Amino acid sequence: MEPTHASRLMPEMEMRAIDDVIEMGRQLTPALPPLSHALHDSFLHSHCSACFSPLHPPPPPSRVLYCSQACSASDSPLHTSSAELQLLLHRQSPSSAASDDGDTSDVRAALRLLAALRDAPSCCGSQRIAGLLTNRDTLLAPETATSGILATIQSGAKAMAAARSSQKGSSDVSEDMKATTLEEAALCAVLTNAVEVQDSEGRGIGIAIYGTDFSWINHSCSPNACYRFQFQSALDTGTLQSLRASRMWISPSGCDVKMDNGAIGFSGLRKEYGPRIMVRSIKPIKKGMEVTIAYTDLLQPKAARQSELRSKYEFICQCTRCCAEPPIYVDRILQNFHAVSGDFPLERDGISFNQDEAIERLTDGINDAVADYLSAGDAESCCLKLEELLTVRVLDEGLKTDTRKIALRNHCLQLHPLHYLSIEAHTILASAYKVRGSRLAPPSTGVDRVTWEDYDLTRISAAYSLLLAGAVHHLFCSESSLICSAANFWANAGESLLKLARSLAWDENYKTCMCSLVNQSEAYYHLSHPSYADFERISNHFRNCVTHHVREVWDFLRHGCPYLRGIRDPIDFSWLGTNLDSCLGIVRNVSRHELLGQTAEGRPMVFQLGVHCALYGNFLLSICYGEGSRSTSHIQGILRSEETL
């Protein structure tokens, strides 16, 4: 991927729209195959090394596996000729000093890239490979390179040189390893341009490097486009011709020039297999406007985004969002603490507050809880730690004197639900509660199989999913480039609520949605390129319905969770301007009998809320990823199973 505007070396290293007006939800590129790709080591035995599709069932372990004869025939020659096999053998050797090294996907992808370039040596240099910036001079410069990246590149290049020398049958491997300029350039090109390929569960399963028609798309923290992957085995001739015939809506100059769906001048390097990538517009784009995507998580504040971009891509972002002065609302709310009482600045009362130290302390707490969840498998401990962390007042820790404690009675700071650390914690909590309540039996197994504890845990998981959807939607309303995040959180909330509605063998009569929006949703879903006015109208309609249903069921959803009872409304956050203490008031105990009554009364509302969340998420997903994407197909399947469409 190319540097951002401030550090671009060549003026044409950008992509611009070539149509008069591109509406949101338009596919801007065909499905582009990669120049090179490689699975992460941990997925070599469970996924196809050619197309990245999962293997069902996983075959006996081997160094590389394929899902079909077609994938094997298309990829195995490159696997052999690239010296990837020699690298894997060398890394697996007990006598190898590199046997304990980490993931080799970057090195293997670089080997594959060099093998693809074997017949086009003029396309390969220390500065650019197949038109892609290598960043080699910057990454290896002593004054700018970090010790970690420098060591990674040097050791990786030597491993590549040794594998290639072994593959050629050279008798003097040590001599071949002395000159590693080409290997360093290829590895730097991979580190600079590779994209993390994610499966349907959001797991990073490998990396891929694409040609200049994708890699020349610059980064912005307020992008107007996004991308998605398409997994498929080796394609038939008809499908290939269809993909090649697809139009490019972007070009380096913004002019409607003929482009081969791969690289400008490097079409011979393209492979017809591997995880394909497609770019889609998420905002209206006028002719000549630059098309941008995000290289980092946009739900981070400016400092975190800048740090990640600097460490990974060696540039400082100067997009409109990063350069806004004062910072835009989203960046302020993502990083500021909530004053439970009192106002800033605290220094007026002689209180010093180091926000960076507080963030570091809270981040350590989150990491500790996540370790319990992922490493130890203790989801309950994770939930307890995170909910305690979310309610701690960050100035309470480290107090030395009574004077400061007295002063702090008027100045209490706390994480609010829109803070980026809260969003991270809520995401983990929704997952952890879901895992804890995973014993929840389907209706056909009978009520006796469902414990109240399982049911309550699933209910609280749904509450956290709804809170996440509302929080990210609130941010999305101020920064429209967050549409992809909002889409996924709304879809997840809908899925969680519908699962809750299916529990306890509820009577099928609860499956009624007396709302005109549900009847119109199928037409909305197939609205391929909505105008901004249509998008606003549909979004407002969904938002009004969801807000109405939330008011009916939120108390029921959050019952029994001390932290969530402090969240007055998961959709409308205007209450954050009030004193949180008033929100953390006494909540009367509800008996099991009363809760059963609430459950019976709340059945239709929980179901209707779930349907609306899923429908709205699906509408946004169709804009971001298209009707045939894995995400939209998944939600469509859930809704059809509920017989709501």
Side-chain angles (χ1 to χ4, degrees):
M1 295 184 176
E2 297 299 330
T4 194
H5 312 275
S7 57
R8 189 183 297 113
L9 303 177
M10 297 172 61
E12 69 272 19
M13 286 166 25
E14 60 185 25
M15 301 299 276
R16 294 184 176 273
I18 60 177
D19 202 33
D20 288 339
V21 178
I22 296 177
E23 298 291 353
M24 60 195 311
R26 183 181 293 278
Q27 187 166 313
L28 302 178
T29 68
L32 305 170
L35 290 175
S36 178
H37 62 286
L39 285 168
H40 291 319
D41 291 6
S42 57
F43 292 93
L44 282 172
H45 298 157
S46 60
H47 288 66
C48 175
S49 287
C51 68
F52 282 21
S53 298
L55 302 174
H56 301 296
S62 179
R63 291 185 180 88
V64 291
L65 299 169
Y66 300 104
C67 65
S68 66
Q69 288 293 332
C71 276
S72 176
S74 64
D75 184 77
S76 56
L78 183 62
H79 169 66
T80 303
S81 63
S82 67
E84 183 183 16
L85 175 61
Q86 282 71 24
L87 178 77
L88 290 172
L89 288 170
H90 181 68
R91 290 296 178 102
Q92 294 169 2
S93 171
S95 60
S96 171
S99 61
D100 294 330
D101 285 358
D103 186 78
T104 65
S105 56
D106 289 336
V107 177
R108 289 185 285 111
L111 282 171
R112 284 170 165 260
L113 184 60
L114 288 179
L117 288 164
R118 184 174 293 125
D119 296 329
S122 61
C123 297
C124 187
S126 63
Q127 300 300 316
R128 287 189 172 273
I129 291 182
L132 307 181
L133 186 70
T134 67
N135 246 353
R136 176 178 176 271
D137 291 346
T138 301
L139 292 173
L140 295 180
E143 63 273 13
T144 58
T146 62
S147 58
I149 192 66
L150 188 63
T152 296
I153 294 171
Q154 290 177 340
S155 63
K158 289 180 179 179
M160 290 171 63
R164 297 179 78 201
S165 178
S166 176
Q167 194 264 345
K168 291 185 296 184
S170 174
S171 59
D172 193 352
V173 175
S174 60
E175 187 65 27
D176 291 339
M177 291 173 60
K178 289 181 179 179
T180 59
T181 301
L182 186 59
E183 287 81 3
E184 288 175 353
L187 185 54
C188 288
V190 170
L191 293 173
T192 300
N193 296 281
V195 183
E196 182 87 2
V197 180
Q198 296 183 336
D199 65 4
S200 58
E201 298 177 4
R203 298 178 301 174
I205 61 175
I207 60 171
I209 301 91
Y210 297 91
T212 52
D213 45 5
F214 175 77
S215 292
W216 278 13
I217 301 177
N218 284 318
H219 163 82
S220 172
C221 295
S222 183
N224 52 21
C226 67
Y227 59 87
R228 76 171 177 92
F229 298 101
Q230 182 183 63
F231 297 93
Q232 57 203 14
S233 57
L235 302 174
D236 58 56
T237 304
T239 304
L240 283 174
Q241 290 176 346
S242 174
L243 289 170
R244 286 170 175 162
S246 300
R247 180 184 174 185
M248 287 284 294
W249 293 86
I250 57 179
S251 77
S253 61
C255 301
D256 193 359
V257 297
K258 180 175 177 57
M259 296 179 66
D260 194 328
N261 300 343
I264 305 168
F266 307 104
S267 58
L269 303 178
R270 307 301 296 197
K271 305 302 177 186
E272 304 301 353
Y273 54 88
R276 293 173 177 264
I277 199 165
M278 291 174 284
V279 181
R280 294 179 62 86
S281 60
I282 57 174
K283 299 177 183 177
I285 307 173
K286 295 181 180 179
K287 183 175 182 177
M289 286 181 61
E290 184 176 7
V291 174
T292 55
I293 57 176
Y295 295 4
T296 188
D297 181 5
L298 300 180
L299 285 174
Q300 299 180 100
K302 176 182 175 180
R305 298 194 309 270
Q306 294 276 13
S307 176
E308 182 177 342
L309 292 169
R310 178 69 178 86
S311 63
K312 188 171 183 179
Y313 298 107
E314 293 294 333
F315 71 80
I316 298 174
C317 183
Q318 295 188 6
C319 69
T320 54
R321 179 178 170 185
C322 286
C323 293
E325 193 58 45
I328 65 171
Y329 169 77
V330 167
D331 280 334
R332 295 198 308 272
I333 202 71
L334 280 172
Q335 66 181 357
N336 288 346
F337 288 94
H338 179 74
V340 178
S341 58
D343 300 308
F344 286 106
L346 304 178
E347 289 76 7
R348 289 184 307 187
D349 287 342
I351 303 172
S352 60
F353 173 59
N354 188 319
Q355 181 163 302
D356 291 340
E357 288 184 2
I359 291 294
E360 183 178 357
R361 189 165 59 243
L362 291 168
T363 301
D364 289 343
I366 291 176
N367 291 337
D368 180 54
V370 171
D372 286 350
Y373 182 28
L374 298 181
S375 301
D378 192 345
E380 182 176 3
S381 173
C382 173
C383 293
L384 291 172
K385 287 183 177 180
L386 285 179
E387 287 175 338
E388 181 180 3
L389 179 147
L390 288 167
T391 55
V392 70
R393 296 181 178 181
V394 296
L395 288 177
D396 288 347
E397 298 187 17
L399 300 182
K400 302 296 183 183
T401 65
D402 291 338
T403 303
R404 292 191 65 194
K405 290 183 179 180
I406 293 173
L408 280 170
R409 291 175 182 172
N410 298 320
H411 297 285
C412 294
L413 300 181
Q414 202 169 24
L415 283 176
H416 58 75
L418 302 175
H419 194 282
Y420 82 100
L421 288 179
S422 294
I423 293 174
E424 180 181 348
H426 294 161
T427 304
I428 300 166
L429 283 164
S431 174
Y433 271 106
K434 180 180 179 180
V435 169
R436 292 174 63 190
S438 60
R439 292 170 295 174
L440 191 63
S444 60
T445 62
V447 179
D448 292 341
R449 295 283 301 279
V450 182
T451 68
W452 275 110
E453 181 184 3
D454 294 338
Y455 173 73
D456 287 341
L457 293 171
T458 301
R459 176 174 53 80
I460 294 174
S461 173
Y464 274 114
S465 295
L466 180 61
L467 174 58
L468 279 166
V472 175
H473 182 81
H474 178 87
L475 300 173
F476 163 57
C477 289
S478 296
E479 175 50 68
S480 60
S481 60
L482 297 175
I483 183 173
C484 298
S485 298
N488 284 296
F489 281 119
W490 277 120
N492 289 338
E495 185 174 0
S496 296
L497 289 163
L498 288 174
K499 178 183 178 182
L500 181 65
R502 289 194 301 269
S503 65
L504 294 178
W506 282 352
D507 191 308
E508 291 295 314
N509 290 330
Y510 74 87
K511 290 188 174 183
T512 55
C513 269
M514 306 302 293
C515 176
S516 62
L517 185 59
V518 173
N519 297 326
Q520 301 170 27
S521 61
E522 188 75 5
Y524 290 161
Y525 174 68
H526 293 296
L527 190 61
S528 56
H529 312 305
S531 66
Y532 192 74
D534 285 338
F535 175 77
E536 284 289 289
R537 175 177 56 83
I538 296 169
S539 293
N540 288 334
H541 198 169
F542 272 112
R543 187 161 53 246
N544 291 338
C545 288
V546 168
T547 299
H548 168 73
H549 293 312
V550 164
R551 290 170 181 161
E552 300 293 331
V553 302
W554 180 239
D555 283 343
F556 162 68
L557 292 175
R558 66 176 177 170
H559 171 74
C561 180
Y563 168 69
L564 286 177
R565 75 178 185 183
I567 307 298
R568 180 180 295 179
D569 191 312
I571 304 296
D572 179 1
F573 292 93
S574 59
W575 56 269
L576 279 173
T578 67
N579 188 317
L580 269 181
D581 284 341
S582 64
C583 303
L584 295 171
I586 298 175
V587 178
R588 71 183 184 92
N589 293 324
V590 180
S591 68
R592 181 63 61 193
H593 177 73
E594 289 176 301
L595 187 58
L596 275 169
Q598 289 185 26
T599 303
E601 295 169 5
R603 292 173 187 173
M605 282 298 180
V606 171
F607 177 72
Q608 290 190 53
L609 178 58
V611 168
H612 281 81
C613 290
L615 286 172
Y616 186 43
N618 202 45
F619 170 64
L620 298 180
L621 286 170
S622 67
I623 293 174
C624 298
Y625 306 124
E627 292 184 32
S629 69
R630 291 170 297 162
S631 300
T632 54
S633 298
H634 176 68
I635 297 300
Q636 284 285 94
I638 292 173
L639 290 168
R640 288 195 178 101
S641 70
E642 300 293 347
E643 299 179 355
T644 59
L645 293 182

